[in-house]
Amino acid sequence: MSKQKFVYMFEEGTEGQKELLGGKGANLAGMTALGLPVPPGFIVATTACVKYYDEGKKFDAGIEKEVFECVAKLEKKMGKKFGDAADPLLVAVRSGSRASMPGMMDTILNLGLNDITVEGLAKKTNNPRFAYDCYRRFIQMFSSVVMDQDKHACERVLDEVKAKRGVKEDTELTVEDLKEIIDRFKADYKKDHPEGFPQDPKEQLIKSIEAVFRSWDNPRANTYRFMHNIPYNWGTAVNVQSMVFGNKGETSGTGVAFSRNPSTGENKLYGEYLMNSQGEDVVAGIRTPHNISELEKENKKIYDEFAAIAKRLEKHYKDMQDMEFTIEEGKLYMLQTRNGKRTATAALRVAVELVKEGLIDEKRAVCMIDPKQLDALLHPQFDKKALKEAKEVSKGLAASPGAAFGRICFTPEGAHEAAKKGEKVILVRVETTPEDIEGMVAAQGILTARGGMTSHAAVVARGMGRCCVAGCGQLIIDEKAKTCIINGKKYSEKDSISLDGSTGCIYDGCLKTEAAQLTGDFGTIMAWADKYRALKVRTNADTPKDTQRAVELGAEGIGLTRTEHMFFESDRIGPMRQMIVAKTEEARRAALEKLLPMQRKDFIGIFTALEHRPATIRFLDPPLHEFVPHDDAGVKSLAKDMGISYEELKTTIEGLHEFNPMMGHRGCRLAVSYPEIAEVQTRAIIEAAIEVKKSKGFDVIPEIMIPLIGEVKEFKYIKDIVVRIADEIIAKSDVKIKYLVGTMIEIPRACLTADEVAKEAEFFSFGTNDLTQMTFGFSRDDAGTFLDEYYQKKIFESDPFARIGQIGGGKLMEITVELGRKARPDIKLGICGEHGGDPSSVEFCHKIGLNYVSCSPFRVPIARLAAAQAALKD
Amino acid sequence: MSKQKFVYMFEEGTEGQKELLGGKGANLAGMTALGLPVPPGFIVATTACVKYYDEGKKFDAGIEKEVFECVAKLEKKMGKKFGDAADPLLVAVRSGSRASMPGMMDTILNLGLNDITVEGLAKKTNNPRFAYDCYRRFIQMFSSVVMDQDKHACERVLDEVKAKRGVKEDTELTVEDLKEIIDRFKADYKKDHPEGFPQDPKEQLIKSIEAVFRSWDNPRANTYRFMHNIPYNWGTAVNVQSMVFGNKGETSGTGVAFSRNPSTGENKLYGEYLMNSQGEDVVAGIRTPHNISELEKENKKIYDEFAAIAKRLEKHYKDMQDMEFTIEEGKLYMLQTRNGKRTATAALRVAVELVKEGLIDEKRAVCMIDPKQLDALLHPQFDKKALKEAKEVSKGLAASPGAAFGRICFTPEGAHEAAKKGEKVILVRVETTPEDIEGMVAAQGILTARGGMTSHAAVVARGMGRCCVAGCGQLIIDEKAKTCIINGKKYSEKDSISLDGSTGCIYDGCLKTEAAQLTGDFGTIMAWADKYRALKVRTNADTPKDTQRAVELGAEGIGLTRTEHMFFESDRIGPMRQMIVAKTEEARRAALEKLLPMQRKDFIGIFTALEHRPATIRFLDPPLHEFVPHDDAGVKSLAKDMGISYEELKTTIEGLHEFNPMMGHRGCRLAVSYPEIAEVQTRAIIEAAIEVKKSKGFDVIPEIMIPLIGEVKEFKYIKDIVVRIADEIIAKSDVKIKYLVGTMIEIPRACLTADEVAKEAEFFSFGTNDLTQMTFGFSRDDAGTFLDEYYQKKIFESDPFARIGQIGGGKLMEITVELGRKARPDIKLGICGEHGGDPSSVEFCHKIGLNYVSCSPFRVPIARLAAAQAALKD
């Protein structure tokens, strides 16, 4: 076995080796191979970083040896030597992980300088000021970035010297000033590190590489990784590149540019540059850089050369490029290129235009767009100008995207009343419960003090496409006084706020919003996506309005209608509660009879909006206690409405209490206890289908879905009721209606016995929220208290409720698909629930061979695109 | 394909066909084959019953045809014809399922009689009184058993006629009286069934067979099946046998006898007989039967013949037999034989003696004993005489076996105080909580008003071997007044009651108890069992006393020590609560330091009791809110103890609230949040092991068990803490201690990723309670509200918490064993939790290849026997 190699010269790598060399390293290797003017260098591979952590943060001696072998090669190539007093080799050290990752280590430039080589550089360049400025910068970067010294300490020294000299700009400092600054930097350094600033360039280099490795585990990097699902075990590579100087005078400079406009997608170089500067000057904003177009006027030759390289790279990588370059004494060097980050609008335009230009085909275009980005295009946004001037009061979780403003309302009733008068309101609650639904529907946006991304408020708001900011820790509500304090500022129901559900920001007052702009490019990409995907995309919708919206966004049917949401509406909740607290089957039937026409009407609306598309309707699912009031006033009022005593009702309601409601009397268990619920729901569905067929001619095929099945006999018991009632109604009617009876798959036992269940069930729909809970053994509502520790301790790297844990719930899904198809080859398999709109979960669903995914209306385009990408990856 | 056969003549069947012919039918076939004097007949197979239900309770025409073909054969054999006016064929119809099942249909005798054949019988037998008495009996049985008429109506007619005639005994009625009775029976019958009493014997027969089929689904049969895990889909067979008459005068008779004494096991015929009678006379107790030994004096020839048959059958079936016979005019007929039911004592003696007699070998003896029966031998019982005179007040669930008496105490504190004074008390609670532990320990027995077989009271009592009657619906407690009403009778703390935890009976006053008698036969059987079993048997024990007891009962180590139970004791709960509400790591560590020496002492005691045997110790598992007071008084008192404000403590405690505690912050999640808990528990265990090794020389190998693992990284995180602390302590000590670190398997995800987990874990122990909950998706605490409906609707046929659902949790266990052994071939696999003592679950554990089962001390012998039976079945 040949020895494992950890360090690669640029010319030894290839652009395909992102896993090994990191993104930046692979592209440097790629540009080198293309013969572009890249300053030579080498890459310490990601595997070295992994080894560093595996060995308890110790730098492996073998890797150190490899590093210095590459340094030797670099010396030979450059004709300079590390630490050479006359003509020292200087290098830049940069981090570079597999995925682009802000939050990791900054760049260190001019490494190799010390008290002796700085003089060599001064002589060699005949520019002492340049040399000492480089050394000053190097010490400053090394101290703060590598040694974690206080960043501002150096800045203070600089400011003090400038003040003493009476100058304003760094560039006005003399060599002597710089020497003084260097001495003071070194003295400060020695205070914390008695061994003094390292003079050995080799020590400087190893320390810097280690610092890059360490930065992989800093809190910012961890947060970024968590947000973007980047595995901790990837590690980062380190790029060591010989220095070129943009600060060698007015024929030198440095810049950053995109091959197209990253905001709009326009096919025109876009970027900034600054002559006589090093990279950090541009970043720090000390001097204002110029637009790249100026360079054409200032130095056409360099501009043309760069523009040509940009085109060439774009053609080579078949994507818009984001490049860094340096001009050293009139010569152009490329320091980096990568596929450029862009807005959703730009992403669509670039993809469509690249196809038009013949650079890529439709399939590649479809794969170029991050499905999650589409979200931004599907909701109203704040006017950009208004946003700039806005006052951000606080921030919560970006729970459901979109922008909204309105007067504060603390109660759902208040919100409802105001909305009736045409007022725009924001519903502000500690947390929401199913009883708040009416208020949530009425409000423009919802703000809560408690609850995470999967809290009731967040889930329901996303379902409705309503903007929501959840879990704002700085929000304290006094519901009684109808006031709240947000980040110290008091608000009453007279005040207005604005919410940005895409960022979580809360603003004072009313900010102007603009409607979503779905340009032609969006339609083009969606059409291409639809051409290539295998998965159907349905929607979760509980109302005709949501259904209509989802169909407009491309939904091919309904994957989940939650019938319970219908029962929270004000005209329903009364009979619903009477049904729940009924003591006899007769009383329950009487209440259900009142609900029947309302529910039938809902279904007529939904079937009409769907036209011929299929609709999966789930039977009543939540524990009944969710529907009844728990506070004394509510109980008293209900008792009065029902004409029974407070005590009797109180006892009944207390009897509904459960220790673990998530694992209690809910789902199909309700229909097993009270078959009349299943009867009435069947009646409403089938009668609605008949009515719609008669009046509109639409051939609706309702798919009746029994939730929470764990045992085939449980399913069979309810299916028998459905079939009996449905066939009775159809036989009496003069039209023919087909219907299916199937089940949610959300209980592990249903997965393990899917062959049994499939003998009876005509379709399965994965309810991955519950399945995740049961598989992990923790409840969504309670996990918040301990999952943070799990993330911090890297036990989990992503939220299992946001992505299908492919080893946990995912494995059960695979078992289910296999067993289910074995028993019933033509079984229809789908997924509903939050995961249906998550691109990585959509990919998983494609891989295991589901027929469709279902998600909230606004996520339909995301799912369509993700489904196409999954199919094209195959 | 040959046509399926549903009806078999006795001579067509074999004794091995119990599944097809039912137990009674197979044995009738067996006795026929042996050439014993069995009245001829045929069997309608269980498959016919299954078909009857499958076809919506319709009697299949093909089967009817088969029945009459067999009737024809029977006619030929007997030389009599069904409905023949001169010499009618009469038959008996009896149910007979695969397992013996009281609660099903009674026997119908004399079928074939009608207004005409009765006269033929009268003439043929020259005994009109006999003939009309037979007809009278037949109508009576057919009306009540087949047609569901009121049983007492016939009795009333009989009584009226007897009164009119001024006679007392049925035998004193004349032919005319009987005719009058028959007429009145038929008139009553016609009132409900206008078509009149069926005169066609064929109709009588088919109606009777159908009635047997229907009785398979009556409530009594369903209850019995549920209790004994008999599947609904087995169905019952029907035996149709030509009549012989024990009521033909003084040379005729009928009787029941066992080949050995079913109470003591003594090898001597045991039974009763009655001359001139039919079976129901004996059963009804109208006349007092004689001891079988009388028969020897009365009719030695018949007695000897019967005794010889009994011996022959015993030898043939290699087990004690329970037989029914009839003597018709001096000729002996065998009507039934089966393995006889017996007491636990008798079971042991019979098995041991059969081996001594050379009839069976040890293996068969081991398999003959129902492991569950041993339970009765392991606990104190009420004195039999005392029990006869006792007054049963009410009945609850037989939650934990044993007999106990004592003064009523309504509070755990009261029980504790009384016990300290040497008083015997019964703790009476609505339901128990972990805070009651001290009172439960102090009491002789526990009685609760609410809760099932897996309620806290039941589980904890079984674990302690404490007698418990749970869920007594007739118990109403007024805790404030310290009184209760049991079945209408009021009790105060001055009164005493007695509980029988094996029957659920509650008695007034103090009943004398006697200690468990473990005779020599028990020891013999256990020694044989140990010889043949492959599974080790460990115990779940939390105290040295329990450990000691379990070792005496044969436990080979501890499979589960729940460390949390130790913290409920009065000297621990204080620091425990301080630990829980601590706001900082320091405060938490301070409280933990107080707990350390106490916990160490517990472990020293347990290790000493175990000598060299292994001990699996589970880290703290329950949600922390279980340890803190929730009532205002408790919170106030704790706040005072801790020197903090009531409000602060109240807020902290409210913060511990969870929506679904079963799926909340518990198990290993506690140690992930508070690693210092794991540190201190490790310290206590390892220091105790060192101390015991030093002072006693026992080589304890502690097995540290991390609960509720769902992800290997979670396990690794805690294992790293354990190993660090343990190795530190061992390094500092002068003795060598080995220890293992392993995990509970109770989360489905752990099963699905068992290969990953096994890379780190040195052993797995299945926690099947939680695993069952997660797999079925329902909580043990809440399922009670809906599972009854599931049993009634035959969706579930047994309690999943009492037996491992082999398709649900069982399948996950198989996956775990396979994946776990693949990753670590020598991994130690066990099971702890309630299932460990259930024989059918033990068999499953053997089948999937576990190394051991662990159960509460008193169940150890049961598990030893069940394990041997499982191994011998292989």
Side-chain angles (χ1 to χ4, degrees), chain B residues 765-787:
Chain B
S765 178
F766 288 99
T768 44
N769 292 349
D770 268 307
L771 189 56
T772 302
Q773 294 194 93
M774 302 301 171
T775 309
F776 280 84
F778 48 67
S779 121
R780 205 167 58 169
D781 296 323
D782 300 309
T785 60
F786 55 85
L787 279 187

Side-chain angles (χ1 to χ4, degrees), chain A residues 152-323:
Chain A
H152 304 292
C154 288
E155 296 293 342
R156 273 195 300 274
V157 170
L158 257 179
D159 288 345
E160 279 170 28
V161 174
K162 280 194 280 188
K164 204 162 70 178
R165 300 293 169 222
V167 301
K168 279 200 166 170
E169 301 286 332
D170 293 359
T171 43
E172 294 175 79
L173 293 168
T174 65
V175 172
E176 287 317 307
D177 297 340
L178 290 167
K179 281 184 179 168
E180 182 188 338
I181 289 165
I182 288 166
D183 285 341
R184 287 182 61 179
F185 279 2
K186 288 199 295 188
D188 283 349
Y189 186 99
K190 201 160 182 164
K191 272 186 221 150
D192 292 331
H193 307 282
E195 74 281 7
F197 187 80
Q199 293 293 313
D200 178 1
K202 288 189 174 179
E203 187 187 341
Q204 294 169 358
L205 180 62
I206 296 301
K207 279 216 159 76
S208 299
I209 294 172
E210 271 195 82
V212 175
F213 287 166
R214 281 200 309 273
S215 74
W216 178 248
D217 194 27
N218 73 29
R220 275 175 310 154
N222 281 330
T223 305
Y224 187 87
R225 251 199 315 275
F226 181 73
M227 278 170 54
H228 292 83
N229 292 310
I230 300 172
Y232 179 68
N233 66 11
W234 278 6
T236 181
V238 184
N239 300 289
V240 179
Q241 189 171 28
S242 52
M243 281 299 303
V244 284
F245 296 95
N247 55 342
K248 269 194 178 169
E250 289 311 316
T251 58
S252 299
T254 189
V256 186
F258 290 81
S259 59
R260 302 181 185 222
N261 186 316
S263 234
T264 64
E266 190 191 4
N267 188 1
K268 194 181 154 194
L269 266 186
Y270 177 93
E272 295 171 327
Y273 74 102
L274 197 57
M275 296 313 281
N276 197 13
S277 73
Q278 273 197 330
E280 79 272 24
D281 297 327
V282 182
V283 177
I286 298 168
R287 290 157 60 197
T288 308
H290 305 294
N291 191 304
I292 193 81
S293 58
E294 301 277 319
L295 186 61
E296 190 169 10
K297 296 174 212 155
E298 199 170 330
N299 188 334
K300 190 160 185 333
K301 186 182 141 278
I302 290 284
Y303 177 85
D304 286 348
E305 190 187 351
F306 178 72
I309 287 175
K311 272 287 152 235
R312 188 166 163 205
L313 284 173
E314 203 178 62
K315 207 167 163 184
H316 181 76
Y317 287 106
K318 299 183 192 304
D319 199 355
M320 172 185 123
Q321 294 300 298
D322 166 5
M323 299 153 292

Side-chain angles (χ1 to χ4, degrees), chain A residues 672 714 752-753 790 793 807, chain B residues 672 714 790 793 807 811:
Chain A
V672 170
E714 198 175 29
L752 297 165
T753 62
Y790 272 63
K793 289 169 178 168
I807 299 181
Chain B
V672 169
E714 199 175 29
Y790 273 62
K793 288 168 179 169
I807 300 182
K811 202 156 172 184

Side-chain angles (χ1 to χ4, degrees), chain A residues 460-474:
Chain A
V460 173
R462 279 201 295 277
M464 302 194 294
R466 189 75 76 257
C467 155
C468 172
V469 173
C472 173
Q474 294 181 317

Side-chain angles (χ1 to χ4, degrees), chain B residues 243-319:
Chain B
M243 281 297 303
V244 284
F245 297 95
N247 56 342
K248 268 193 179 173
E250 289 311 314
T251 57
S252 299
T254 188
V256 186
F258 289 82
S259 60
R260 299 179 188 226
N261 186 317
S263 233
T264 64
E266 190 192 3
N267 186 1
K268 194 181 154 194
L269 267 188
Y270 178 94
E272 295 170 329
Y273 75 102
L274 196 55
M275 296 312 280
N276 196 14
S277 72
Q278 273 199 328
E280 78 271 25
D281 297 326
V282 183
V283 177
I286 298 168
R287 290 157 59 198
T288 309
H290 305 294
N291 191 301
I292 192 84
S293 58
E294 303 276 319
L295 187 60
E296 192 170 8
K297 295 172 215 159
E298 200 169 331
N299 190 335
K300 187 157 186 336
K301 187 184 140 276
I302 289 283
Y303 177 84
D304 286 348
E305 190 188 351
F306 178 72
I309 288 175
K311 272 288 150 232
R312 189 168 163 202
L313 284 172
E314 202 178 63
K315 205 167 165 184
H316 181 75
Y317 288 107
K318 298 182 194 304
D319 199 356

Side-chain angles (χ1 to χ4, degrees), chain B residues 672-852:
Chain B
V672 169
S673 300
Y674 311 122
E676 50 280 7
I677 299 178
E679 289 179 21
V680 168
Q681 292 206 292
T682 305
R683 185 169 289 281
I685 292 166
I686 300 296
E687 288 176 354
I690 290 174
E691 165 67 27
V692 171
K693 180 152 187 182
K694 276 190 191 166
S695 62
K696 310 275 178 183
F698 297 147
D699 255 323
V700 190
I701 303 183
E703 301 174 354
I704 295 177
M705 180 156 74
I706 322 286
L708 219 72
I709 288 294
E711 154 66 46
V712 62
K713 289 187 200 158
E714 199 175 29
F715 178 77
K716 181 73 166 45
Y717 177 81
I718 302 169
K719 181 187 165 186
D720 286 348
I721 295 168
V722 172
V723 170
R724 176 170 54 79
I725 300 288
D727 289 354
E728 253 174 48
I729 300 170
I730 294 169
K732 277 190 210 144
S733 136
D734 47 2
V735 297
K736 286 269 155 287
I737 291 285
K738 274 194 229 167
Y739 64 94
L740 301 178
V741 191
T743 172
M744 290 276 276
I745 297 286
E746 44 195 338
I747 298 282
R749 194 172 187 276
C751 300
L752 297 165
T753 63
D755 45 352
E756 296 294 322
V757 180
K759 281 183 200 149
E760 294 293 337
E762 291 166 298
F763 63 88
F764 285 171
S765 178
F766 288 99
T768 44
N769 292 349
D770 268 307
L771 189 56
T772 302
Q773 294 194 93
M774 302 301 171
T775 309
F776 280 84
F778 48 67
S779 121
R780 205 167 58 169
D781 296 323
D782 300 309
T785 60
F786 55 85
L787 279 187
D788 268 349
E789 291 278 348
Y790 273 62
Y791 302 143
Q792 271 176 42
K793 288 168 179 169
K794 300 194 185 73
I795 293 171
F796 288 151
E797 296 196 61
S798 67
D799 176 359
F801 292 110
R803 310 178 76 204
I804 294 174
Q806 302 198 358
I807 300 182
K811 202 156 172 184
L812 280 177
M813 286 171 73
E814 287 176 277
I815 292 173
T816 310
V817 169
E818 196 197 315
L819 292 178
R821 284 245 167 82
K822 209 193 282 172
R824 183 185 288 264
D826 66 342
I827 192 164
K828 201 185 280 192
L829 302 173
I831 179 176
C832 51
E834 287 287 304
H835 289 105
D838 167 62
S840 77
S841 302
V842 170
E843 186 185 335
F844 178 73
C845 293
H846 172 85
K847 224 172 61 190
I848 63 169
L850 300 195
N851 300 98
Y852 69 85

Side-chain angles (χ1 to χ4, degrees), chain A residues 437 440-441 446 459-466 546 549 856-858:
Chain A
I437 290 279
M440 295 173 77
V441 172
I446 298 128
V459 172
V460 173
R462 279 201 295 277
M464 302 194 294
R466 189 75 76 257
D546 283 353
R549 190 181 298 158
S856 48
F858 280 103

